[in-house]
Structure formats: C-alpha cells, structure tokens
Amino acid sequence: MKRWLLVAGAVVVALGLVAGGLWVFLPPDHRTTFLVDASESADFREVADAVGAAASNMSADDSLALRRFGGSCSSANTSELVSPGTGQAAKIGDAARSITPSGKATLLSGILAAIDDFAHTYPFRGSKTNHVVVIARGAADACGKSADEIRALIKEHSSRAGVQIDFRFVGHRLTPSQAKTLTEIATAANAQQPRLTRTSDELVTTMKEVSVPADLVAKNIKTSPCDSATPETLAAAHEVGTARYFDVKCQQDRYVLALANTEPKLSDDLITVFEYRDDAWHYVISGTDLPCGDVPKDVWKAWNFTCQVEPVDCRGTPDKVIDLGGIGCTAALDIADRYTAAIQAGQAQGQGLFWTSGEWSCSWPYEDGYAHSQVPQKCVRTTDHSVVQLGDYQ
C-alpha cells in the first residue's frame, strides 16, 4: 500500500514539474492587441490595410489579437474578432478587412475591454511586454466621459487586470479637436503622445513603427513585402504566358503597379496590378483603363494613375444620389443632403445654384448636348475631384 502511495506521489510530482515547465515555456515574449476604430467611416479600408501590414511585419512568435470598437454608447459596442495567439498575422489582416464600419466611435469602451482581455490567466500574457495598439478614426470618443472619469476607469480596470500594459495611440485623419480628445485619453492611459497620420502611406509606416516591441532590434524586423516584388515573383504570380515586368511601383507594402508584356505576345505592354495577401503576391488585373476596385484611392494617386470608378447608387428615387468618385455612400449622402438643405434654405446662389462647403463645391451645371433642366446637380470635392451626382439625366 505504501509503495502504491509512493508511486502515485511520484507521478503527481512529475506531472507538476511538466506543467510547471510548460507554464514557463509556453507564454510568448510579446503580446499585442490591435484595437481598431470601426465606427462609420468612408475610408476604413486604409485602417484595415494598415493593421494587416503591421501584423505581417511582426514576429510569428508574438501573440496577436484584434478587437474592434464602434456602435451605440448605450449598448454593446466592442468585440474581440481574433483571440490572442501566435502565427496569425494573416488572420488579423483578413478579419480587419472584413469589418463593416458603423455607429459612433466608442474608444473608451474598447480600451476598457482590451485591458480586461489581459486579466485572464489564459490566453497567456507576454512574459516581456504587453501592448495595445489603438487606431482612432473620426471622433476619438463620442460617449461624453470627462478626462477625470476616463482616467479613473482606466486605472480601475488596469489595477484589476494586474498587468502593465503599454498603450500606443495612432490618430488617422483627425481634426484638431479630435486629436486633442485623443491626447487626453492617451494621457489618462499613461501613454505617449498619439502619432497622427494624414495619408494611407503614413498610416502603414506609423503602424509598423508603433507595433513592434521596443526591445526588439531593427535586424529582427521583417523586411518589407515590397522587397519581394521582383520581376521573377510577379511573373510567377501572373500565369498568362511568360510575363516580363519593369518599372515596378510598390505602395503600402500591399499593392504593385508594373508595366508588363507577355510572351507569346498577347497585346501591347499592359499596366498590371498585384496585391500582397496570404504572404504572397497575387495577380489582380491588367489593361489600359483599369477599374479602381478595392485598391485605395491614395495608392492610385501615389502611382500617378487614374483608375475608373464604378458608379454606386447610394439612394434611389425620388432623391437619388450616385457616388461617381468612389468616396463611399456615407460621405456621398452627407454632402448631397447638405447641398439639398442649402438649396431649400435659399443659400445656393444664382441660376446655377452655386454653393460651397469646405472642400466641396456644388452646382447645377450646364452641359453640352443637354437642356439645363435635363442635367442633374453635382458636388465636386476640390481635393481629389471626386463627384457626387444628385438625380439622373433626363
């Protein structure tokens, strides 16, 4: 009987040592949560692409997670889309690009939930660092908490989690007042000054910089996917004949525009687009007049190439609104409704119903081949010449 007890005790001790060993070696060195503003936005794709680029730039041994925020202040407005785990950079990017933005910005709710995610024993925390990388887009927070209330709530949740979390804030296309609010929230979280970006390229670069743990030296950071956009790799991705590529232009570590011809000769030299996803370059389309597709407008602009925007009916008759510039229906409906309200209020000038608001210039234009009554009203954004059309040609 005693011998049986000794054997059982030895087994228990051995299992305890194994469990203890696993406890020591399984936790990752670094754990990072990407906290993404998924409130209603016309250019959310830029944010999603930047998250994917930052995740793919990090070590496969890092534990990565994705959480979104945005919705109503009075109901559930944040959720974890990807739970912490190693080797899931592609999963993070795909989940970010599948988000449909909606609702108001609810940053504080997202921050508190992200802190609470670290409060559990499992998934493991980082043994060296734990980060939350926050991307704020639009209003920094729309739920009206004061700076003191925000500070108290963050302190309460951080204390309960029992772990030191390094917050890093990035504000994309924020107004001065929105940037001020974000700075106050960052201060309440004991974080550094938020990094502010205006273009998609700036956002990608900044996200990579703030996402990599500070104790990793530069030699451990992955090279850019753009470095792998060689004529050979692009030719392998394009399976029509044998393609030769030159004048390769890469943007955002995600898109390539290259001049190509094929053997056997199928056509003259063609502009060809490739996209980097799932750790490889993929052929998208080639031709002379290319549709904009899912490639962000800033990328086409950086390439100095005018793509063809597919018109989108944002609202049907009788108050039809058509997005002719690819700005998204949220922005198109906003300027269309404001222009209509200005006309009704008598603020539009002259027979051409001229009216301006910030970067928008609206009018009822004259066009060759049409009577004035047959031409719909239009609003043009002066910064990029995007057009929103109110109604149809008669």
Side-chain angles (χ1 to χ4, degrees):
M1 184 66 176
K2 290 183 178 180
R3 183 177 180 181
W4 182 86
L5 290 173
L6 288 174
V7 172
V11 171
V12 170
V13 171
L15 289 175
L17 291 174
V18 170
L22 289 175
W23 183 264
V24 170
F25 291 109
L26 284 180
D29 287 343
H30 309 283
R31 175 173 159 182
T32 299
T33 293
F34 292 99
L35 182 58
V36 179
D37 182 351
S39 59
E40 194 166 12
S41 169
D43 50 10
F44 178 77
R45 184 60 185 256
E46 295 179 2
V47 173
D49 286 341
V51 170
S56 67
N57 190 58
M58 300 176 71
S59 169
D61 295 329
D62 289 355
S63 178
L64 304 181
L66 176 67
R67 174 174 283 276
R68 63 169 296 283
F69 65 87
S72 170
C73 296
S74 60
S75 61
N77 51 44
T78 179
S79 60
E80 187 179 59
L81 303 182
V82 179
S83 299
T86 58
Q88 53 184 16
K91 186 176 181 180
I92 295 286
D94 290 343
R97 285 185 285 273
S98 69
I99 293 174
T100 300
S102 62
K104 300 178 180 179
T106 56
L107 174 56
L108 179 58
S109 295
I111 289 175
L112 298 181
I115 294 173
D116 293 344
D117 290 341
F118 284 86
H120 309 293
T121 303
Y122 187 85
F124 293 116
R125 303 166 181 171
S127 60
K128 294 182 179 179
T129 63
N130 294 280
H131 303 93
V132 174
V133 178
V134 183
I135 311 177
R137 171 69 185 91
D141 195 86
C143 294
K145 296 287 187 183
S146 69
D148 289 339
E149 289 175 310
I150 292 172
R151 188 177 297 108
L153 286 168
I154 291 177
K155 182 177 180 180
E156 175 189 342
H157 283 251
S158 298
S159 176
R160 193 162 58 226
V163 62
Q164 178 63 42
I165 300 175
D166 178 11
F167 280 90
R168 300 174 182 185
F169 290 83
V170 178
H172 186 53
R173 300 186 187 273
L174 300 185
T175 65
S177 62
Q178 291 167 348
K180 180 176 181 295
T181 302
L182 184 63
T183 299
E184 292 173 350
I185 294 176
T187 300
N190 294 319
Q192 296 179 353
Q193 185 87 1
R195 299 278 296 273
L196 303 179
T197 61
R198 300 299 303 173
T199 68
S200 55
D201 284 343
E202 287 178 356
L203 180 60
V204 169
T205 300
T206 301
M207 281 295 297
K208 287 184 177 181
E209 291 174 353
V210 303
S211 299
V212 175
D215 60 340
L216 294 183
V217 295
K219 66 181 181 180
N220 289 332
I221 300 176
K222 292 182 181 179
T223 57
S224 165
C226 287
D227 296 337
S228 66
T230 64
E232 293 75 19
T233 57
L234 299 181
H238 190 181
E239 299 177 354
V240 179
T242 302
R244 295 189 300 113
Y245 291 93
F246 45 98
D247 193 21
V248 175
K249 298 179 180 179
C250 187
Q251 292 292 328
Q252 290 188 354
D253 289 341
R254 184 170 172 80
Y255 300 99
V256 155
L257 185 77
L259 194 61
N261 60 29
T262 58
E263 297 293 345
K265 197 78 169 180
L266 299 180
S267 63
D268 294 332
D269 295 338
L270 296 176
I271 296 296
T272 308
V273 176
F274 295 85
E275 180 182 7
Y276 190 82
R277 61 180 187 276
D278 300 328
D279 299 323
W281 288 104
H282 296 267
Y283 168 78
V284 177
I285 195 171
S286 59
T288 52
D289 295 325
L290 299 181
C292 297
D294 293 329
V295 180
K297 293 182 67 175
D298 281 354
V299 173
W300 291 107
K301 185 176 180 180
W303 284 336
N304 195 28
F305 189 94
T306 302
C307 61
Q308 304 301 312
V309 178
E310 188 73 21
V312 175
D313 288 346
C314 294
R315 185 166 61 207
T317 54
D319 301 317
K320 190 167 189 176
V321 175
I322 304 174
D323 175 13
L324 298 177
I327 65 171
C329 284
T330 299
L333 291 171
D334 174 67
I335 186 59
D337 290 343
R338 290 194 289 119
Y339 180 38
T340 300
I343 294 174
Q344 294 172 348
Q347 298 172 358
Q349 302 297 312
Q351 190 172 1
L353 298 177
F354 297 102
W355 180 77
T356 59
S357 176
E359 59 190 8
W360 287 97
S361 178
C362 302
S363 67
W364 185 15
Y366 288 91
E367 295 184 9
D368 291 341
Y370 292 93
H372 194 206
S373 60
Q374 295 177 299
V375 179
Q377 297 153 358
K378 295 180 179 178
C379 290
V380 180
R381 190 160 65 181
T382 56
T383 52
D384 59 5
H385 306 293
S386 293
V387 178
V388 174
Q389 179 176 304
L390 288 70
D392 276 322
Y393 286 87
Q394 304 299 317

